[in-house]
Amino acid sequence: MSERPQWQALQRHFDEIGGQHLRDLFADQPGRGEQFTTTAAGLYLDYSKQRVTGETLRLLRELAAACGMSDRIEAMFRGDRINRSENRAVLHVALSAPADADIELDGRNVVPDVHAVLDRMAAFATRIRDGSWTGHTGKRIRNVVNIGIGGSDLGPVMAYEALRNYSERDLTFRFVSNIDGTDFIEATRDLDAAETLFIVCSKTFTTLETLSNAHAARDWCLRTLKVDAAIAKHFVAISTNAEGVAKFGIEPAQMFGFWGWVGGRYSMDSAIGLSTMLAIGPDAFHAMLSGFHAMDTHFRSTPLERNLPALMGLLAIWNNNFLGAATVAVLPYEQYLKRFPAYLQQLAMESNGKHVTLDGTRVDYPTGPIYWGEPGTNGQHSFYQLIHQGTHIVPCDFIGFCQPLNPLGEQHDLLMANLFAQSEALAFGKTADEVKSEGTTAALVPHRTFEGNRPSNTILAEQLTPHTLGALVALYEHSVFVQGVIWNIDSFDQWGVELGKALATRTAAELRSTDEPPLTHDSSTNTLIRRYRRLRDH
Ligand code: F6P
């Protein structure tokens, strides 16, 4: 990659303009704040506060063209097996396709399958919401507990929190993911089993955390409801593994399926989103799907100049590979999006945290940056200090909405004033002369100076709705894809989670063993295990 002439052209370009300050870029281009913007699916992206010129964008597009971006986008939408290391198609875009679309995989249109599941989900959600589905004792379901981890948790919990304003308030939702027993115990301690529905979400239905928690849930239910027959009224499963689901004891009629071509971290709009549909209802769920679809269509059909996910992806490449920024802060100025940074961590980092290209060659450039963040304004009183005055460059994605869902005096204006102020302060800073002119003593001037020139995107939408959320998630999905194409990596596998899993299985057996098992780890791990066993059994 770094050998490509287009990459080298960008490197030379960076050597020329990399030191330019955003103050100068704005001064040289008076219309910059209107020009470096684009809209799609109800989202407005202002990237004028990125450290780029028109030439940078042109060179990034040339790099994208050299990497075959258009073909790679088409290959995904066409259902080619672009997840090469797992030999799988990557067709999450089919999850939100309209019923009359035709998306063929191995000669078969998958869209009717998608809509058949959506229809079953809607029928079930309606019965739970209107009370016609009752628990084993005849009581109405009042609590829904989603059990899953990774993509089978982060999407559902993020979407539930994001769309809570639209949710059925008579239903309580809980999300259990961690193998730490505290997660399950705390989530269920005040619930009545007779009124509780468990949704066991696992693409593979083999995940240790989820199966352990699902068994704990089964035992917890049976402690109150006593008979195995009760399980049918209190458990549903979401999986691609019908056999595993049946083995656990959940009937096929209680299972909602999805497919190998949906990656776990791309699955919140599949049946994995059942908790979302239960919360907001089938119509709002379909509105969310329409947001995904609108962004998918935009991504597939819009030239790179105005293509919102492509622009975000290419700007991320610029920041990561040329500016040398190793992280991205995601800063939603919307309390309902409080789990959005955590959701993006899996989406971006499980997708692009890769060290070899598609053909297995070690990359000689940094790949996926570290995503992190917190909602504004909380972050401002915590880590923004480092973003403003620290030595690391942290590109920021500010996300805000023009209309509040919970108006409270002038608080929404204050919230948004903070968003606008932060991106302005980061970009333009405050010079030593400005600080001096305020009468600051010489000794304090360096402390109170803001260098500025810290890049950010601002994503602005009218209001946080199911449609907007769908568009926002799809925006990041495709931006992550674009970055993966440039780095020529497989954004859809996740082999990096395997070694830890295998070692944990071996170690669990050693912790379980009643005698002193011979330990053959390194001396640190051996000592830690011995100490743990000693103190545990003390
Ligand atoms: O962490 C690895 C992973 O496979 C994720 O990709 C996935 O979202 C998560 O585990 C859960 O997997 P499953 O849905 O199969 O339980």
Side-chain angles (χ1 to χ4, degrees):
M1 171 63 53
S2 48
E3 257 89 79
R4 276 191 196 278
Q6 295 80 3
W7 186 280
Q8 289 173 1
L10 274 160
Q11 189 58 60
R12 282 195 302 278
H13 173 68
F14 177 77
D15 295 341
E16 283 161 25
I17 72 127
Q20 276 191 37
H21 201 288
L22 278 164
R23 283 194 283 262
D24 302 321
L25 295 175
F26 270 83
D28 293 349
Q29 186 186 352
R32 188 179 169 94
E34 293 100 55
Q35 286 154 0
F36 282 3
T37 65
T38 191
T39 50
L43 303 183
Y44 172 85
L45 170 69
D46 174 355
Y47 55 95
S48 63
K49 295 190 183 87
Q50 294 288 349
R51 287 166 56 174
V52 294
T53 63
E55 177 67 357
T56 321
L57 297 170
R58 191 186 66 75
L59 291 171
L60 284 166
R61 288 195 300 271
E62 280 192 0
L63 177 65
C67 294
M69 188 64 70
S70 315
D71 290 348
R72 299 281 290 273
I73 294 172
E74 267 317 296
M76 176 172 71
F77 277 88
R78 209 171 38 222
D80 289 6
R81 295 180 189 278
I82 61 168
N83 177 356
R84 286 219 222 143
S85 78
E86 294 179 340
N87 192 29
R88 277 187 176 151
V90 176
L91 264 181
H92 47 271
V93 292
L95 297 172
S96 51
D100 59 357
D102 185 355
I103 301 177
E104 309 255 331
L105 183 60
D106 300 330
R108 190 163 177 278
N109 183 7
V110 298
V111 177
D113 300 344
V114 169
H115 279 267
V117 175
L118 283 170
D119 291 347
R120 282 186 60 226
M121 288 165 64
F124 180 70
T126 303
R127 290 193 65 195
I128 294 284
R129 286 163 62 88
D130 70 13
S132 59
W133 177 288
T134 53
H136 177 66
T137 65
K139 280 189 171 178
R140 193 177 173 146
I141 297 295
R142 304 216 169 268
N143 316 307
V144 177
V145 181
N146 192 86
I147 297 178
I149 197 162
S152 299
D153 167 69
L154 288 163
V157 68
M158 181 279 288
Y160 169 68
E161 292 294 348
L163 301 176
R164 203 168 180 161
N165 180 65
Y166 304 91
S167 71
E168 173 56 60
R169 301 291 184 158
D170 289 341
L171 286 171
T172 295
F173 287 83
R174 302 270 164 84
F175 297 84
V176 175
S177 53
N178 201 331
I179 194 142
D180 183 338
T182 298
D183 204 8
F184 179 82
I185 301 274
E186 285 292 345
T188 50
R189 68 181 318 127
D190 58 344
L191 304 184
D192 174 359
E195 299 181 334
T196 301
L197 174 78
F198 289 96
I199 307 178
V200 185
C201 285
S202 177
K203 179 175 173 184
T204 55
F205 228 77
T206 57
T207 305
L208 178 71
E209 291 89 339
T210 301
L211 290 191
S212 303
N213 280 320
H215 281 286
R218 206 170 187 282
D219 295 346
W220 179 84
C221 250
L222 290 177
R223 272 202 295 280
T224 309
L225 302 173
K226 309 293 182 204
V227 290
D228 274 354
I231 296 304
K233 302 294 272 177
H234 294 271
F235 278 76
V236 294
I238 317 295
S239 188
T240 59
N241 176 2
E243 224 175 275
V245 169
K247 205 164 144 219
F248 177 81
I250 297 177
E251 298 291 319
Q254 313 274 104
M255 172 178 157
F256 299 88
F258 64 115
W259 306 273
W261 43 263
V262 183
R265 52 193 177 272
Y266 297 86
S267 66
M268 61 167 273
D269 47 340
S270 72
I272 290 288
L274 181 64
S275 57
T276 315
M277 194 191 270
L278 287 170
I280 64 174
D283 290 347
F285 192 85
H286 277 278
M288 182 183 82
L289 295 183
S290 73
F292 273 95
H293 185 63
M295 188 58 77
D296 293 347
T297 308
H298 165 85
F299 179 54
R300 189 179 192 178
S301 60
T302 310
L304 295 187
E305 288 91 322
R306 288 179 286 109
N307 189 315
L308 217 160
L311 274 164
M312 273 195 49
L314 293 175
L315 290 165
I317 294 283
W318 174 251
N319 287 336
N320 185 61
N321 295 97
F322 298 95
L323 218 57
T327 85
V328 176
V330 181
L331 308 167
Y333 278 64
E334 169 54 71
Q335 185 63 17
Y336 283 126
L337 288 183
K338 66 181 181 194
R339 295 303 303 272
F340 194 60
Y343 172 79
L344 281 190
Q345 284 182 325
Q346 188 200 13
L347 178 66
M349 291 159 75
E350 199 165 70
S351 295
N352 284 341
K354 307 292 161 65
H355 71 301
V356 293
T357 61
L358 284 167
D359 67 7
T361 313
R362 183 86 165 79
V363 297
D364 61 357
Y365 41 85
T367 58
I370 298 152
Y371 276 69
W372 59 289
E374 277 288 320
T377 58
N378 297 6
Q380 290 175 207
H381 298 272
S382 157
F383 52 78
Y384 276 41
Q385 165 64 39
L386 182 149
I387 303 183
H388 281 287
Q389 286 190 315
T391 53
H392 298 282
I393 294 288
V394 181
C396 300
D397 285 353
F398 290 97
I399 303 170
F401 299 88
C402 301
Q403 297 167 10
L405 291 169
N406 293 297
L408 188 62
E410 61 159 357
Q411 285 189 213
H412 189 70
D413 281 347
L414 295 176
L415 173 75
M416 293 305 288
N418 272 278
L419 184 162
F420 301 135
Q422 290 299 326
S423 67
E424 187 178 358
L426 287 170
F428 302 105
K430 194 170 182 182
T431 63
D433 286 342
E434 285 166 342
V435 176
K436 271 184 223 149
S437 71
E438 289 171 350
T440 306
T441 57
L444 275 185
V445 169
H447 297 279
R448 302 189 65 162
T449 299
F450 291 72
E451 285 171 0
N453 215 16
R454 318 261 156 158
S456 67
N457 287 321
T458 299
I459 298 167
L460 204 57
E462 198 170 295
Q463 194 174 54
L464 178 55
T465 62
H467 179 93
T468 318
L469 181 73
L472 188 64
V473 172
L475 164 63
Y476 277 94
E477 286 179 350
H478 296 317
S479 159
V480 162
F481 171 81
V482 165
Q483 294 169 61
V485 169
I486 301 288
W487 292 319
N488 196 27
I489 56 179
D490 190 332
S491 297
F492 300 102
D493 61 12
Q494 57 283 316
W495 298 106
V497 300
E498 296 301 327
L499 175 60
K501 278 190 199 170
L503 288 177
T505 306
R506 170 181 158 199
T507 307
E510 290 162 350
L511 297 184
R512 228 175 267 132
S513 158
T514 45
D515 49 16
E516 271 288 305
L519 298 176
T520 54
H521 304 266
D522 59 278
S523 64
S524 158
T525 311
N526 287 345
T527 309
L528 287 165
I529 291 173
R530 283 196 200 98
R531 187 173 177 82
Y532 169 75
R533 282 182 54 114
R534 202 168 57 245
L535 294 177
R536 179 194 64 185
D537 303 335
H538 184 62

